[in-house]
Amino acid sequence: MEEAKLLPKDTEAPASVAREQNVTPWSVKGEVGEDGEVKAINYNKLVEQFGTKIIDDALLARFERVTGHQLHRFLRRRIVFSHRDLELILDKHEKKEPFFIYTGRGPSSDIMHIGHMVPFQLAKWLSDVFEVPLIVMLTDDEKYLMGKMDRTVEEYEHYARENAKDIIAVGFDPDRTFIFSDYEFMGGDFYKNISRIAKRINRGTADSCFGFNSSTSIGKVHFAAVQAASSFATSFPFLFGANRLQAAKIPCLIPCAVDQDPYFRLTRDVASQLGYTKPSLIHAKFLDALQGPGSKMSASVEASSILLRDSPKQILKKITKYAFSGGQETLEDHRAKGGDPEVDVSYQYLRFFLEDDEELEHIRHEYQSGSMTTGEIKKKCADELAKFCVSFQQRRSQVTDEMLDYFMTSRQLLYRGVKFDTVLPMLDDESAKSRDQENGKGSESKNQAKKNEKIRLAEEKKRQKTRERSSANTRISSNS
């Protein structure tokens, strides 16, 4: 198993007692000091604990060079800070070899907050930049298994569809995006992979990775295999072909919050045993709850979060009343000493949602110097979040049941502007060329091969334009 320290067990110390930070797929809690103060999440410690790698300047520079696009603000500002094998995905893109993107959402309610948008904004940008298929998994089964006993399966199925409409409103391209819920999609090759994965994870490994104990339900233990299955192209033969040996070569890139990494650490171990390509990951930091560092937004606690459905008036009220401030106790002290943007919730939200780097730096300088007051930075934050939410609400109002059904229909998706099934023969061709070159039988120069491939793709694009498009293929514009 990939080297990583064990997660703490699923136990909590009393709030008044000092404790280490605890980050699992189900709980995020910052360290509590001897003075009872909750500290910010130590992401360097998570990198060491999980055994991931920091995304450094060299990797960011290569990302920008390979894609030809300015980095997303999450990458520029190190909000996306850690990875597993991102360089291998960049290798694939440079060689024009296929891969896909996979992310997900656990539909615990029909309400989503702005923190939930972070991986989806990033996934949309990645899909647009790389021009590759995106798969979105809605884990309605997980949320039922881990919810209260009086909740029903049907509730979570409803939440999944409502959350899917929110996700579509981010602005995903319907020609490149497939969304599914576990309850609706489970079966066939997807379930076969779940079985293969589950057979290779023993209870001791699961306990060590997730901190399970004797009270953990078998559903929670087994779900690791379900979450892992979407990492493999072999789970989706309608998209990646029925040839398992061929599909097993296609990797995926998973943008997710760092608390989800333990799932995919296990997944990567199992991939080696199954002969599948290991998934690559990039990890995002958490958007703090309104109460400040060391916490995570929760849609079930409205005082902790900005909901996507909130009005500008509600947003301003929440930010004004609840947002933790890095300012001083009095205006006089604030003018003299300035505020601390590193712990100020309003500034941190602006880091996530304000696109302009120069404006963000100006705000940081003004607040840190004391020129900008706590009230002023809260007002600026509320205005930016109101713009984001109002724009989202307008797009969300355009999402119909017919559009949702289209996104959730198993179908071919586009890769670099052509249907994925036209790319699959290239995998066999590349393997054959490699064998021929090793045997001294290469009959075609590299330049001629590139020329022929360029012609083939151009012809396929022409054919693609003549095909009838579904009415659901109308894109929803997005500023993500």
Side-chain angles (χ1 to χ4, degrees), residues 113-129:
H113 57 63
I114 58 173
H116 292 138
M117 290 291 101
V118 172
F120 292 111
Q121 285 186 295
L122 182 61
K124 178 191 180 302
W125 182 82
L126 291 167
S127 182
D128 290 344
V129 165

Side-chain angles (χ1 to χ4, degrees), residues 15-22 28-41 288 291-296 324 343:
S16 60
V17 178
R19 67 159 188 255
E20 294 184 1
Q21 72 177 20
N22 185 7
V28 175
K29 293 182 176 128
E31 179 184 350
V32 177
E34 294 293 341
D35 57 1
E37 291 291 319
V38 180
K39 299 181 182 180
I41 299 298
D288 290 336
Q291 285 67 34
S295 58
K296 180 183 174 184
F324 183 84
V343 299

Side-chain angles (χ1 to χ4, degrees), residues 413-438:
L413 300 178
L414 298 187
Y415 166 80
R416 291 181 177 263
V418 300
K419 287 200 172 182
F420 207 97
D421 59 359
T422 66
V423 180
L424 294 175
M426 293 171 56
L427 296 175
D428 289 334
D429 291 345
E430 289 300 320
S431 297
K433 285 178 186 177
S434 297
R435 288 193 299 271
D436 287 344
Q437 288 172 359
E438 288 175 5

